[in-house]
Amino acid sequence: MGVDPSIYILFLFQLFMGFIKRTLTVFLSLATIFLLCAFTLFLIVRTFLYPSVYVNSLEQSGVYQYLDENLGNTPGSTFIKIPPEGISLLVNGLVGNLLSYLRSDTDSLNLTVQLDRDKLRGFFLESIQNLSVCSDGVDPFEAEEPCRPADRTPDEFLDDIIKEKNLTFFEGDVDLAGVYGLDSPESQKNLENLRWTISLFQKIFWVFAFGILILFFLLFLVERSISKFVRVEGINIFAAGGIFLFSAKILFSLDKFISEKIPGNSPDIVFSLMNTFLSNFASSVNFYGIIEMVIGIVLFAVSFFIGNLLNWKGKDKTRR
């Protein structure tokens, strides 16, 4: 008696469906790992849109100390009013305002610093006192060689200059955006492009998050088992964490290589700051890699508990 051909057909169909299921599982898993890596990377980079990472790096690299010791040697900086708490409070405020503007949390760029009006006025008065007196009939504002009128005291002539030149910084504050040309049309255009790019970056970040949830749901539909779904996702998250942990090792090696190239007494504070940023970035990559690997291990272990629990409940129902 021959075997019913329908049995072979059913066997081949089950074999084919099993292949399709495994293929979908592998495809969805790879897509999940990719999106998890992209989402985590965006999450790390996103921290650079907030002041804390800069504050920590500036402190660790000794930039605050460098500014405290050398700010007085920088032309024009001696007139900036430093808060009693130190230069760090002023720098942190400027960094926070700049990042808030770039994130589009505010529509105006505020880089205003307070000036020491007494020091500023004293500096200009000293310069005016060293000027020669203008000849009769010579307009001090149109003279080829700087001079001061004989009938005006240095204080009075300084007031005339402030009024004539409309020097608003004598009012007690100055916007560094104007000092460094950030208010020019070209700079404004570049800033707007940067703000648009950051806004797009923020949207992509949430697209990745939503995409991960969709892949989780699709993988659950394919597996049709809570325990298998949790186990597979545990493996996926563990793999993503492993990729980040491996990347962190490379970044730490690069950081060590760069650090060895910097002399211990190197005055290049900018180079030191960049190295600190790299070190902090590597630490963040390492941290998230460890977190994801731990989550993956926990989910993998929990999947067996869920499977045993479901089997126990199934047997208990059968007995009843």
Side-chain angles (χ1 to χ4, degrees):
M1 185 176 179
V3 180
D4 189 352
S6 61
I7 296 178
Y8 289 107
I9 296 174
L10 180 61
F11 173 76
L12 291 174
F13 178 76
Q14 290 176 342
L15 191 65
F16 175 75
M17 292 304 295
F19 172 77
I20 294 296
K21 179 181 177 181
R22 285 191 295 271
T23 302
L24 284 174
T25 300
V26 171
F27 174 77
L28 292 174
S29 295
L30 291 176
T32 300
I33 294 172
F34 171 78
L35 279 187
L36 279 172
C37 290
F39 175 78
T40 306
L41 179 61
F42 270 55
L43 183 63
I44 296 172
V45 174
R46 196 166 177 260
T47 60
F48 285 84
L49 297 177
Y50 295 87
S52 57
V53 64
Y54 298 96
V55 171
N56 293 335
S57 297
L58 290 170
E59 187 174 352
Q60 293 171 14
S61 60
V63 171
Y64 291 140
Q65 181 180 354
Y66 177 84
L67 291 176
D68 283 329
E69 295 173 354
N70 297 276
L71 191 63
N73 300 327
T74 305
S77 62
T78 53
F79 306 120
I80 298 177
K81 184 177 290 186
I82 306 300
E85 295 83 358
I87 189 67
S88 59
L89 184 65
L90 176 63
V91 174
N92 294 348
L94 293 174
V95 170
N97 290 343
L98 175 60
L99 292 175
S100 178
Y101 175 74
L102 294 179
R103 293 194 310 268
S104 299
D105 291 345
T106 178
D107 293 328
S108 59
L109 178 59
N110 180 17
L111 298 179
T112 302
V113 295
Q114 288 189 327
L115 299 180
D116 191 323
R117 288 185 290 180
D118 293 335
K119 282 186 179 181
L120 190 62
R121 189 173 182 87
F123 170 79
F124 277 96
L125 280 176
E126 183 178 352
S127 300
I128 291 174
Q129 288 170 351
N130 294 330
L131 294 177
S132 59
V133 178
C134 299
S135 303
D136 292 339
V138 175
D139 187 341
F141 296 107
E142 297 180 0
E144 294 183 2
E145 293 292 333
C147 62
R148 60 183 176 86
D151 60 341
R152 304 289 286 176
T153 65
D155 263 315
E156 293 172 339
F157 184 49
L158 177 57
D159 291 334
D160 293 340
I161 293 175
I162 294 172
K163 183 177 180 180
E164 178 72 19
K165 302 296 184 181
N166 192 27
L167 302 178
T168 57
F169 53 78
F170 274 93
E171 297 174 2
D173 54 38
V174 61
D175 188 358
L176 295 181
V179 173
Y180 292 104
L182 297 180
D183 57 352
S184 66
E186 183 178 356
S187 296
Q188 284 292 315
K189 182 180 179 180
N190 292 334
L191 285 173
E192 284 301 320
N193 290 337
L194 182 57
R195 276 157 55 93
W196 180 86
T197 302
I198 292 175
S199 176
L200 180 63
F201 169 86
Q202 299 268 44
K203 294 174 182 176
I204 294 175
F205 172 79
W206 292 112
V207 168
F208 282 156
F210 185 67
I212 291 172
L213 293 177
I214 292 177
L215 288 175
F216 280 3
F217 177 71
L218 292 176
L219 196 54
F220 176 75
L221 293 179
V222 171
E223 292 298 333
R224 295 184 179 180
S225 168
I226 296 178
S227 60
K228 290 183 180 179
F229 164 73
V230 173
R231 189 174 309 147
V232 171
E233 290 301 354
I235 295 173
N236 293 339
I237 296 174
F238 181 86
I243 293 173
F244 270 85
L245 209 60
F246 178 74
S247 301
K249 300 302 180 185
I250 297 176
L251 290 173
F252 279 129
S253 298
L254 179 61
D255 176 53
K256 183 179 179 181
F257 174 78
I258 295 176
S259 299
E260 291 174 349
K261 297 298 180 181
I262 304 176
N265 57 349
S266 174
D268 194 346
I269 193 68
V270 175
F271 200 70
S272 176
L273 178 60
M274 291 175 62
N275 189 53
T276 304
F277 273 126
L278 177 60
S279 178
N280 289 339
F281 181 75
S283 297
S284 296
V285 172
N286 187 68
F287 172 77
Y288 282 103
I290 292 174
I291 291 296
E292 288 182 342
M293 292 186 74
V294 170
I295 293 175
I297 292 172
V298 170
L299 290 177
F300 187 78
V302 168
S303 68
F304 290 99
F305 172 77
I306 294 174
N308 293 332
L309 181 63
L310 293 176
N311 290 335
W312 179 80
K313 286 186 175 182
K315 292 179 180 178
D316 186 58
K317 288 182 178 179
T318 303
R319 291 173 184 174
R320 292 180 182 179

